[in-house]
Amino acid sequence: MHVISRKKLREFWENHPDARASLESWFADVKHTEWQKPEDIKAIYRNVSILGNNRVVFNIKGNKYRLVVAVQYTFKIIYIRFVGTHQEYDGIDAETI
């Protein structure tokens, strides 16, 4: 999968250094995979939340942080839509961000 963009992850971990290892690990894992449907993600990440509008929510660092991505399965692209604290996540609509 092609991730757009790693820069958002890097900007986040610069302000939250404890998230760096988890985000780097997630990035390394997903760039070597080819998801074709939401069930492919759920098979690897059991605690992931599959939402409408092709959004997927990952728990990062023991659910301290949240990562919301939009997945275009046909084109094998993951768009990072949000990365933030659990509290910040509570203030967004993950299906439209």
XYZ file of all heavy atoms in Angstrom:
819
model
N 0.851 -1.171 0.000
C 0.000 0.000 0.000
C 0.899 1.238 0.000
O 1.968 1.246 0.610
C -0.905 0.027 1.223
C -1.820 -1.181 1.396
S -3.123 -1.369 0.180
C -4.264 -0.085 0.583
N 0.438 2.243 -0.659
C 1.149 3.528 -0.698
C 0.497 4.447 0.333
O -0.716 4.650 0.297
C 1.071 4.122 -2.096
C 1.765 5.428 -2.231
N 3.134 5.550 -2.159
C 1.279 6.676 -2.407
C 3.455 6.832 -2.297
N 2.348 7.526 -2.443
N 1.290 4.982 1.248
C 0.766 5.826 2.322
C 1.023 7.291 2.002
O 2.152 7.690 1.740
C 1.413 5.470 3.683
C 0.847 6.348 4.782
C 1.220 3.994 4.003
N -0.045 8.082 2.062
C 0.034 9.525 1.837
C -0.479 10.202 3.108
O -1.638 10.051 3.451
C -0.805 9.946 0.618
C -0.304 9.216 -0.626
C -0.782 11.443 0.454
C -1.158 9.442 -1.851
N 0.267 10.883 3.846
C 1.682 11.046 3.720
C 2.343 10.767 5.060
O 1.784 11.054 6.108
C 1.983 12.446 3.222
O 2.316 13.350 4.211
N 3.537 10.252 4.984
C 4.301 9.952 6.195
C 4.612 11.224 6.977
O 4.824 11.195 8.185
C 5.585 9.231 5.823
C 6.348 8.761 7.036
C 7.497 7.876 6.658
N 8.108 7.349 7.860
C 9.385 7.127 7.978
N 10.196 7.357 6.974
N 9.866 6.647 9.100
N 4.633 12.340 6.277
C 4.942 13.618 6.914
C 3.994 13.898 8.085
O 4.421 14.403 9.121
C 4.853 14.745 5.882
C 5.159 16.105 6.438
C 5.027 17.179 5.374
C 5.282 18.546 5.978
N 5.069 19.609 4.990
N 2.717 13.573 7.935
C 1.764 13.793 9.029
C 2.137 12.979 10.260
O 1.995 13.447 11.386
C 0.344 13.439 8.588
C -0.271 14.447 7.672
C -1.721 14.102 7.396
C -2.341 15.115 6.468
N -3.759 14.853 6.233
N 2.599 11.763 10.037
C 3.033 10.929 11.167
C 4.248 11.549 11.837
O 4.312 11.647 13.066
C 3.358 9.514 10.694
C 2.230 8.724 10.051
C 2.744 7.362 9.606
C 1.054 8.588 10.999
N 5.204 11.950 11.025
C 6.442 12.543 11.557
C 6.148 13.816 12.346
O 6.692 14.030 13.431
C 7.416 12.815 10.402
C 8.788 13.217 10.852
C 9.811 13.316 9.710
N 9.276 13.751 8.436
C 9.143 12.970 7.350
N 9.494 11.707 7.407
N 8.665 13.460 6.221
N 5.279 14.670 11.821
C 4.928 15.898 12.538
C 4.272 15.574 13.881
O 4.518 16.260 14.869
C 3.979 16.747 11.687
C 4.665 17.398 10.513
C 3.701 18.071 9.550
O 2.461 17.881 9.671
O 4.184 18.781 8.651
N 3.477 14.531 13.919
C 2.828 14.163 15.166
C 3.845 13.644 16.180
O 3.850 14.061 17.334
C 1.725 13.118 14.936
C 0.985 12.791 16.196
C 0.016 13.657 16.675
C 1.261 11.642 16.918
C -0.663 13.384 17.859
C 0.596 11.353 18.085
C -0.371 12.234 18.554
N 4.731 12.734 15.762
C 5.659 12.168 16.736
C 6.719 13.164 17.178
O 7.344 12.984 18.224
C 6.221 10.828 16.313
C 7.306 10.799 15.275
C 8.486 11.493 15.269
C 7.332 9.975 14.107
N 9.225 11.171 14.172
C 8.563 10.238 13.445
C 6.477 9.042 13.555
C 8.922 9.602 12.259
C 6.849 8.412 12.384
C 8.044 8.695 11.754
N 6.921 14.222 16.430
C 7.823 15.264 16.908
C 7.258 15.946 18.153
O 8.007 16.371 19.028
C 8.089 16.290 15.802
C 9.024 15.766 14.734
C 9.194 16.701 13.546
O 8.555 17.776 13.525
O 9.987 16.361 12.649
N 5.936 16.043 18.238
C 5.278 16.622 19.411
C 4.904 15.588 20.462
O 4.636 15.944 21.607
C 4.011 17.385 18.981
C 4.347 18.606 18.160
O 5.268 19.343 18.480
N 3.613 18.813 17.091
N 4.877 14.324 20.066
C 4.529 13.219 20.966
C 5.540 12.096 20.744
O 5.220 11.085 20.108
C 3.112 12.712 20.686
C 2.069 13.770 20.804
N 1.483 14.095 22.006
C 1.508 14.594 19.881
C 0.601 15.063 21.811
N 0.607 15.388 20.529
N 6.770 12.261 21.236
C 7.839 11.300 20.951
C 7.517 9.856 21.351
O 8.041 8.921 20.744
C 9.039 11.830 21.753
C 8.724 13.252 22.043
C 7.238 13.380 22.059
N 6.653 9.679 22.339
C 6.334 8.317 22.759
C 5.511 7.569 21.711
O 5.404 6.344 21.765
C 5.604 8.313 24.100
C 4.276 9.042 24.070
O 4.147 10.053 23.350
O 3.354 8.601 24.779
N 4.977 8.264 20.738
C 4.194 7.628 19.672
C 5.071 7.190 18.494
O 4.619 6.433 17.634
C 3.122 8.584 19.169
N 6.295 7.637 18.471
C 7.145 7.404 17.298
C 7.318 5.927 16.952
O 7.097 5.523 15.805
C 8.511 8.053 17.486
C 9.386 7.881 16.272
C 10.705 8.594 16.376
N 11.430 8.464 15.126
C 12.416 9.253 14.771
N 12.800 10.236 15.559
N 13.033 9.057 13.622
N 7.706 5.117 17.887
C 7.958 3.700 17.598
C 6.699 3.013 17.076
O 6.763 2.242 16.107
C 8.491 2.989 18.837
N 5.567 3.292 17.683
C 4.312 2.669 17.246
C 3.924 3.115 15.842
O 3.495 2.305 15.017
C 3.183 3.005 18.221
O 3.443 2.460 19.490
N 4.065 4.409 15.553
C 3.714 4.913 14.226
C 4.690 4.422 13.157
O 4.274 4.078 12.047
C 3.650 6.438 14.236
C 2.476 7.024 15.016
C 2.629 8.535 15.164
C 1.154 6.673 14.360
N 5.972 4.366 13.480
C 6.941 3.848 12.520
C 6.678 2.371 12.228
O 6.783 1.926 11.085
C 8.367 4.043 13.025
C 8.852 5.469 12.897
C 10.290 5.652 13.337
O 10.745 4.931 14.260
O 10.962 6.532 12.771
N 6.340 1.628 13.267
C 6.025 0.204 13.095
C 4.785 0.029 12.220
O 4.771 -0.808 11.300
C 5.821 -0.441 14.459
O 5.447 -1.783 14.317
N 3.747 0.820 12.485
C 2.530 0.756 11.676
C 2.851 1.063 10.216
O 2.434 0.339 9.312
C 1.490 1.748 12.213
C 0.259 1.802 11.379
C -0.835 0.993 11.479
C 0.010 2.680 10.268
N -1.757 1.323 10.505
C -1.255 2.367 9.741
C 0.730 3.708 9.676
C -1.814 3.026 8.660
C 0.177 4.370 8.586
C -1.076 4.027 8.090
N 3.611 2.124 9.987
C 3.966 2.526 8.627
C 4.742 1.412 7.917
O 4.454 1.085 6.763
C 4.786 3.818 8.662
C 5.146 4.328 7.298
C 4.260 5.127 6.593
C 6.366 4.017 6.720
C 4.590 5.600 5.322
C 6.699 4.482 5.455
C 5.811 5.279 4.759
N 5.711 0.849 8.589
C 6.516 -0.226 7.992
C 5.645 -1.425 7.634
O 5.828 -2.036 6.574
C 7.630 -0.638 8.946
N 4.699 -1.749 8.492
C 3.815 -2.882 8.227
C 2.910 -2.637 7.027
O 2.793 -3.479 6.148
C 2.940 -3.192 9.442
C 3.714 -3.807 10.592
O 4.865 -4.243 10.395
O 3.153 -3.857 11.708
N 2.257 -1.484 7.001
C 1.241 -1.266 5.971
C 1.820 -1.013 4.580
O 1.173 -1.323 3.586
C 0.234 -0.154 6.344
C -0.491 -0.502 7.617
C 0.872 1.194 6.408
N 3.023 -0.509 4.512
C 3.579 -0.261 3.183
C 3.941 -1.566 2.467
O 4.117 -1.577 1.262
C 4.763 0.705 3.236
C 6.032 0.146 3.788
C 7.132 1.197 3.732
C 8.445 0.593 4.167
N 9.541 1.540 4.021
N 3.999 -2.668 3.213
C 4.322 -3.971 2.621
C 3.098 -4.873 2.479
O 3.246 -6.070 2.270
C 5.379 -4.683 3.456
C 6.701 -3.979 3.447
N 7.485 -3.861 2.318
C 7.364 -3.317 4.417
C 8.570 -3.179 2.607
N 8.528 -2.825 3.864
N 1.917 -4.301 2.598
C 0.710 -5.103 2.502
C -0.122 -4.642 1.316
O 0.136 -3.586 0.740
C -0.104 -5.011 3.811
O -1.131 -5.983 3.780
C -0.681 -3.639 4.018
N -1.083 -5.439 0.943
C -2.001 -5.072 -0.137
C -3.408 -5.447 0.284
O -3.887 -6.537 -0.011
C -1.620 -5.764 -1.443
C -0.353 -5.222 -2.049
C -0.115 -5.723 -3.462
O -1.051 -6.270 -4.076
O 1.010 -5.565 -3.934
N -4.062 -4.548 0.983
C -5.429 -4.793 1.411
C -6.372 -4.676 0.224
O -6.274 -3.746 -0.560
C -5.840 -3.800 2.487
C -5.026 -3.855 3.728
C -4.443 -4.959 4.297
C -4.689 -2.762 4.582
N -3.773 -4.612 5.434
C -3.906 -3.263 5.639
C -4.980 -1.411 4.550
C -3.422 -2.470 6.663
C -4.495 -0.610 5.569
C -3.727 -1.133 6.613
N -7.300 -5.611 0.135
C -8.289 -5.579 -0.934
C -9.688 -5.285 -0.415
O -10.571 -4.929 -1.187
C -8.273 -6.903 -1.694
C -6.953 -7.122 -2.399
C -6.914 -8.416 -3.173
O -7.922 -9.084 -3.357
N -5.734 -8.787 -3.626
N -9.854 -5.446 0.905
C -11.159 -5.212 1.521
C -10.952 -4.993 3.019
O -9.907 -5.360 3.566
C -12.106 -6.372 1.252
C -11.587 -7.719 1.735
C -12.433 -8.858 1.207
C -11.929 -10.211 1.629
N -10.606 -10.563 1.201
N -11.929 -4.408 3.696
C -11.785 -4.137 5.135
C -11.454 -5.379 5.966
O -10.713 -5.285 6.942
C -13.140 -3.557 5.525
C -13.673 -2.963 4.271
C -13.185 -3.862 3.165
N -11.956 -6.510 5.576
C -11.694 -7.744 6.319
C -10.209 -8.098 6.336
O -9.726 -8.729 7.274
C -12.513 -8.907 5.742
C -14.000 -8.755 5.933
C -14.676 -7.813 4.938
O -14.052 -7.408 3.922
O -15.838 -7.461 5.170
N -9.478 -7.684 5.300
C -8.029 -7.923 5.267
C -7.329 -7.159 6.387
O -6.378 -7.650 6.992
C -7.440 -7.496 3.924
C -7.953 -8.319 2.757
O -8.497 -9.421 2.978
O -7.810 -7.851 1.607
N -7.810 -5.961 6.651
C -7.236 -5.148 7.730
C -7.586 -5.770 9.077
O -6.738 -5.922 9.947
C -7.752 -3.697 7.655
C -7.427 -3.081 6.302
C -7.158 -2.861 8.788
C -8.102 -1.748 6.041
N -8.850 -6.125 9.239
C -9.333 -6.690 10.499
C -8.611 -7.994 10.841
O -8.397 -8.312 12.009
C -10.845 -6.914 10.394
C -11.531 -7.135 11.690
C -11.677 -5.840 12.443
C -12.646 -6.025 13.587
N -12.616 -4.926 14.519
N -8.198 -8.744 9.839
C -7.479 -10.001 10.067
C -6.114 -9.764 10.703
O -5.612 -10.603 11.445
C -7.322 -10.760 8.748
N -5.523 -8.604 10.433
C -4.196 -8.282 10.972
C -4.301 -7.458 12.249
O -3.592 -7.702 13.216
C -3.370 -7.515 9.921
C -3.165 -8.382 8.685
C -2.024 -7.076 10.492
C -2.628 -7.629 7.492
N -5.177 -6.480 12.236
C -5.352 -5.559 13.363
C -6.731 -5.806 13.975
O -7.718 -5.208 13.569
C -5.237 -4.099 12.900
C -3.895 -3.748 12.323
C -3.674 -3.792 10.956
C -2.831 -3.388 13.149
C -2.440 -3.473 10.416
C -1.597 -3.073 12.616
C -1.408 -3.120 11.253
O -0.179 -2.804 10.721
N -6.808 -6.665 14.940
C -8.094 -7.083 15.500
C -8.849 -5.957 16.208
O -10.061 -5.983 16.285
C -7.891 -8.252 16.443
C -7.243 -9.425 15.742
C -7.672 -10.743 16.309
N -6.968 -11.834 15.666
C -7.410 -12.451 14.581
N -8.513 -12.063 14.027
N -6.726 -13.450 14.056
N -8.137 -4.964 16.727
C -8.783 -3.866 17.448
C -9.099 -2.665 16.568
O -9.508 -1.627 17.069
C -7.909 -3.411 18.627
C -7.817 -4.478 19.686
O -8.766 -5.212 19.918
N -6.664 -4.592 20.323
N -8.926 -2.804 15.279
C -9.201 -1.710 14.362
C -10.714 -1.490 14.268
O -11.500 -2.417 14.447
C -8.591 -2.004 12.971
C -9.373 -3.060 12.238
C -8.465 -0.773 12.150
N -11.103 -0.241 14.015
C -12.518 0.070 13.787
C -12.696 0.404 12.314
O -12.039 1.300 11.784
C -12.952 1.260 14.640
O -12.854 0.951 16.004
N -13.589 -0.324 11.676
C -13.913 -0.078 10.276
C -15.159 0.806 10.251
O -16.200 0.437 10.792
C -14.191 -1.403 9.530
C -13.032 -2.390 9.707
C -14.512 -1.127 8.070
C -11.734 -1.999 9.065
N -15.038 1.981 9.648
C -16.139 2.937 9.589
C -16.620 3.104 8.156
O -16.020 2.577 7.221
C -15.679 4.293 10.138
C -15.049 4.309 11.521
C -14.620 5.717 11.886
C -16.005 3.751 12.553
N -17.663 3.883 7.990
C -18.151 4.207 6.662
C -17.180 5.117 5.939
O -16.206 5.602 6.515
N -17.439 5.329 4.652
C -16.626 6.216 3.838
C -15.172 5.747 3.738
O -14.246 6.555 3.667
C -16.714 7.659 4.343
C -16.360 8.678 3.295
O -16.393 8.385 2.107
N -16.015 9.880 3.727
N -14.978 4.424 3.797
C -13.647 3.795 3.692
C -12.665 4.253 4.761
O -11.454 4.249 4.543
C -13.040 4.020 2.300
C -13.771 3.245 1.239
O -14.224 2.129 1.473
N -13.905 3.831 0.068
N -13.190 4.661 5.913
C -12.316 5.091 7.009
C -12.005 3.912 7.925
O -12.848 3.052 8.174
C -12.965 6.201 7.835
C -13.275 7.481 7.086
C -12.007 8.085 6.490
N -12.158 9.470 6.133
C -12.486 9.907 4.934
N -12.723 9.075 3.961
N -12.578 11.201 4.685
N -10.778 3.926 8.431
C -10.311 2.911 9.364
C -9.618 3.633 10.510
O -8.823 4.540 10.286
C -9.329 1.933 8.678
C -8.874 0.858 9.644
C -9.966 1.310 7.437
N -9.931 3.212 11.739
C -9.343 3.828 12.925
C -8.441 2.804 13.611
O -8.887 1.715 13.976
C -10.426 4.308 13.916
C -9.776 4.963 15.128
C -11.395 5.264 13.236
N -7.177 3.181 13.782
C -6.194 2.340 14.454
C -5.915 2.916 15.838
O -5.799 4.140 15.995
C -4.872 2.316 13.675
C -4.971 1.652 12.339
C -5.307 2.377 11.210
C -4.716 0.295 12.211
C -5.396 1.781 9.971
C -4.801 -0.322 10.974
C -5.146 0.422 9.851
N -5.801 2.047 16.813
C -5.369 2.435 18.155
C -3.849 2.395 18.170
O -3.251 1.394 17.797
C -5.924 1.486 19.202
C -7.426 1.512 19.247
O -8.037 2.560 19.093
N -8.037 0.358 19.440
N -3.246 3.480 18.590
C -1.787 3.591 18.608
C -1.315 3.720 20.052
O -1.903 4.467 20.835
C -1.326 4.827 17.796
C -1.832 4.751 16.344
C 0.190 5.004 17.854
C -1.286 3.600 15.523
N -0.257 3.005 20.367
C 0.365 3.040 21.698
C -0.661 2.745 22.794
O -0.908 3.546 23.684
C 1.083 4.353 21.956
C 1.896 4.325 23.248
C 3.107 5.164 23.153
C 3.862 5.244 24.445
N 4.342 3.991 24.972
N -1.264 1.570 22.692
C -2.197 1.140 23.725
C -3.437 2.010 23.820
O -3.963 2.232 24.895
N -3.882 2.540 22.682
C -5.081 3.366 22.591
C -4.893 4.768 23.175
O -5.860 5.490 23.388
C -6.296 2.673 23.218
C -7.598 3.147 22.645
O -7.644 3.693 21.548
N -8.665 2.971 23.383
N -3.653 5.162 23.404
C -3.386 6.528 23.856
C -3.613 7.510 22.707
O -4.041 8.642 22.919
C -1.949 6.637 24.372
C -1.602 7.995 24.929
C -0.213 8.007 25.550
C 0.107 9.376 26.124
N 1.459 9.399 26.712
N -3.324 7.051 21.494
C -3.469 7.866 20.299
C -4.353 7.146 19.297
O -4.517 5.931 19.366
C -2.101 8.158 19.667
C -1.135 8.805 20.617
C -0.013 8.134 21.076
C -1.357 10.095 21.089
C 0.870 8.730 21.961
C -0.474 10.698 21.970
C 0.630 10.012 22.409
O 1.506 10.601 23.285
N -4.898 7.921 18.372
C -5.730 7.351 17.316
C -5.215 7.809 15.961
O -4.780 8.949 15.797
C -7.185 7.808 17.459
C -7.901 7.285 18.686
C -8.358 5.856 18.438
N -9.019 5.272 19.581
C -10.321 5.192 19.757
N -11.139 5.715 18.861
N -10.821 4.594 20.803
N -5.298 6.910 15.016
C -4.902 7.168 13.643
C -6.091 6.834 12.747
O -6.584 5.706 12.773
C -3.697 6.300 13.277
C -3.227 6.305 11.835
C -2.734 7.677 11.417
C -2.128 5.265 11.638
N -6.555 7.823 11.990
C -7.670 7.617 11.073
C -7.128 7.704 9.655
O -6.445 8.672 9.303
C -8.782 8.674 11.267
C -9.921 8.441 10.274
C -9.293 8.681 12.702
N -7.424 6.686 8.874
C -6.993 6.674 7.479
C -8.190 6.430 6.571
O -9.198 5.857 6.992
C -5.915 5.595 7.220
C -4.694 5.831 8.109
C -6.458 4.195 7.401
N -8.051 6.885 5.350
C -9.012 6.561 4.294
C -8.292 5.610 3.348
O -7.163 5.875 2.930
C -9.451 7.821 3.554
N -8.935 4.507 3.042
C -8.302 3.490 2.204
C -8.990 3.430 0.839
O -10.210 3.311 0.762
C -8.363 2.099 2.876
C -7.659 1.062 2.015
C -7.760 2.137 4.272
N -8.200 3.521 -0.191
C -8.676 3.305 -1.559
C -8.133 1.942 -1.994
O -6.991 1.832 -2.444
C -8.180 4.425 -2.484
C -8.784 5.757 -2.195
C -10.291 5.750 -2.421
O -10.798 5.110 -3.336
N -11.009 6.451 -1.566
N -8.952 0.923 -1.805
C -8.511 -0.452 -2.037
C -8.124 -0.689 -3.492
O -7.120 -1.355 -3.765
C -9.613 -1.426 -1.610
C -9.945 -1.322 -0.143
C -11.018 -0.560 0.291
C -9.170 -1.968 0.807
C -11.320 -0.444 1.638
C -9.463 -1.867 2.158
C -10.535 -1.097 2.569
O -10.818 -0.982 3.903
N -8.874 -0.141 -4.426
C -8.615 -0.358 -5.846
C -7.236 0.149 -6.256
O -6.524 -0.501 -7.016
C -9.684 0.343 -6.706
O -10.964 -0.127 -6.302
C -9.479 0.065 -8.184
N -6.858 1.310 -5.724
C -5.587 1.932 -6.096
C -4.462 1.653 -5.103
O -3.346 2.119 -5.286
C -5.776 3.440 -6.262
C -6.787 3.776 -7.315
C -8.033 4.257 -6.949
C -6.514 3.580 -8.653
C -8.985 4.560 -7.920
C -7.452 3.870 -9.626
C -8.703 4.361 -9.255
N -4.786 0.910 -4.042
C -3.787 0.536 -3.019
C -3.149 1.760 -2.373
O -1.937 1.856 -2.220
C -2.711 -0.372 -3.609
C -3.272 -1.526 -4.414
C -2.977 -2.830 -3.782
C -3.470 -4.009 -4.583
N -4.880 -4.251 -4.496
N -4.007 2.706 -1.975
C -3.542 3.948 -1.354
C -4.196 4.123 0.007
O -5.393 3.890 0.164
C -3.866 5.173 -2.238
C -3.156 5.060 -3.583
C -3.460 6.469 -1.530
C -3.547 6.149 -4.569
N -3.404 4.540 0.979
C -3.888 4.889 2.315
C -3.615 6.376 2.507
O -2.467 6.817 2.410
C -3.151 4.099 3.408
C -3.382 2.598 3.235
C -3.578 4.564 4.798
C -2.508 1.750 4.126
N -4.667 7.119 2.782
C -4.532 8.545 3.060
C -4.651 8.752 4.563
O -5.656 8.377 5.157
C -5.653 9.342 2.377
C -5.621 9.271 0.878
C -6.396 8.337 0.205
C -4.830 10.152 0.143
C -6.385 8.272 -1.184
C -4.812 10.086 -1.244
C -5.588 9.139 -1.904
O -5.574 9.078 -3.274
N -3.641 9.344 5.163
C -3.712 9.664 6.577
C -4.605 10.890 6.732
O -4.296 11.957 6.209
C -2.313 9.908 7.161
C -1.502 8.658 6.940
C -2.420 10.354 8.614
C -0.337 8.393 7.730
N -5.704 10.718 7.431
C -6.676 11.789 7.595
C -6.558 12.476 8.950
O -6.887 13.637 9.092
C -8.102 11.251 7.417
C -8.340 10.526 6.109
C -8.059 11.366 4.884
N -8.966 12.511 4.898
C -8.705 13.687 4.380
N -7.568 13.911 3.778
N -9.571 14.664 4.455
N -6.094 11.727 9.964
C -6.001 12.282 11.317
C -5.055 11.422 12.130
O -5.084 10.198 12.049
C -7.389 12.277 11.978
C -7.376 12.619 13.434
C -7.394 13.941 13.860
C -7.333 11.619 14.394
C -7.382 14.249 15.205
C -7.312 11.915 15.744
C -7.338 13.233 16.149
N -4.244 12.079 12.925
C -3.477 11.399 13.962
C -3.495 12.333 15.159
O -3.222 13.530 15.040
C -2.040 11.014 13.512
C -1.232 12.207 13.082
C -1.321 10.220 14.576
N -3.892 11.805 16.299
C -4.017 12.663 17.470
C -4.246 11.870 18.738
O -4.273 10.635 18.728
N -4.428 12.607 19.812
C -4.698 11.971 21.095
C -6.118 11.424 21.095
O -6.948 11.791 20.249
C -4.556 12.981 22.253
O -5.584 13.969 22.119
C -3.181 13.642 22.260
N -6.384 10.573 22.037
C -7.721 10.011 22.160
C -8.730 11.137 22.393
O -9.827 11.147 21.819
C -7.751 9.006 23.315
C -8.865 8.038 23.232
N -10.186 8.412 23.276
C -8.866 6.700 23.103
C -10.952 7.350 23.201
N -10.178 6.290 23.076
N -8.360 12.124 23.190
C -9.241 13.258 23.470
C -9.510 14.071 22.204
O -10.646 14.470 21.939
C -8.644 14.144 24.551
C -9.537 15.299 24.948
C -8.929 16.139 26.062
O -7.778 15.988 26.422
N -9.733 17.037 26.603
N -8.478 14.313 21.401
C -8.663 15.036 20.140
C -9.570 14.249 19.194
O -10.404 14.823 18.484
C -7.315 15.307 19.477
C -6.457 16.305 20.221
C -5.021 16.336 19.743
O -4.529 15.340 19.162
O -4.366 17.373 19.957
N -9.395 12.940 19.186
C -10.219 12.077 18.340
C -11.704 12.213 18.700
O -12.557 12.212 17.813
C -9.771 10.616 18.481
C -10.684 9.641 17.801
C -10.588 9.408 16.431
C -11.659 8.956 18.515
C -11.432 8.520 15.792
C -12.513 8.065 17.884
C -12.386 7.850 16.527
O -13.240 6.965 15.901
N -11.987 12.336 19.973
C -13.377 12.468 20.411
C -14.048 13.721 19.850
O -15.270 13.798 19.799
C -13.466 12.464 21.937
C -13.168 11.093 22.532
O -13.239 10.076 21.795
O -12.848 11.031 23.735
N -13.261 14.686 19.396
C -13.808 15.932 18.866
C -13.961 15.968 17.354
O -14.306 17.017 16.811
N -13.719 14.856 16.679
C -13.831 14.836 15.220
C -14.891 13.850 14.770
O -15.320 12.995 15.545
C -12.486 14.467 14.541
C -12.106 13.013 14.856
C -11.384 15.440 14.928
C -11.067 12.435 13.941
N -15.284 13.961 13.536
C -16.135 12.952 12.908
C -15.223 12.136 11.991
O -14.847 12.609 10.908
C -17.252 13.613 12.102
C -18.169 12.607 11.428
O -17.869 11.386 11.448
O -19.192 13.036 10.867
N -14.856 10.962 12.440
C -13.872 10.161 11.732
C -14.318 9.740 10.330
O -13.480 9.463 9.469
C -13.507 8.923 12.553
N -15.610 9.720 10.086
C -16.091 9.312 8.763
C -16.002 10.422 7.724
O -16.069 10.156 6.536
C -17.542 8.809 8.852
C -17.650 7.473 9.534
C -19.046 6.893 9.485
O -19.886 7.387 8.709
O -19.292 5.919 10.208
N -15.848 11.662 8.182
C -15.807 12.765 7.218
C -14.488 13.523 7.213
O -14.263 14.334 6.314
C -16.950 13.767 7.500
O -16.792 14.303 8.816
C -18.297 13.128 7.342
N -13.645 13.270 8.168
C -12.375 14.005 8.230
C -11.470 13.610 7.058
O -11.510 12.536 6.561
C -11.666 13.789 9.573
C -10.558 14.810 9.733
C -11.122 12.402 9.723
C -10.053 14.988 11.127
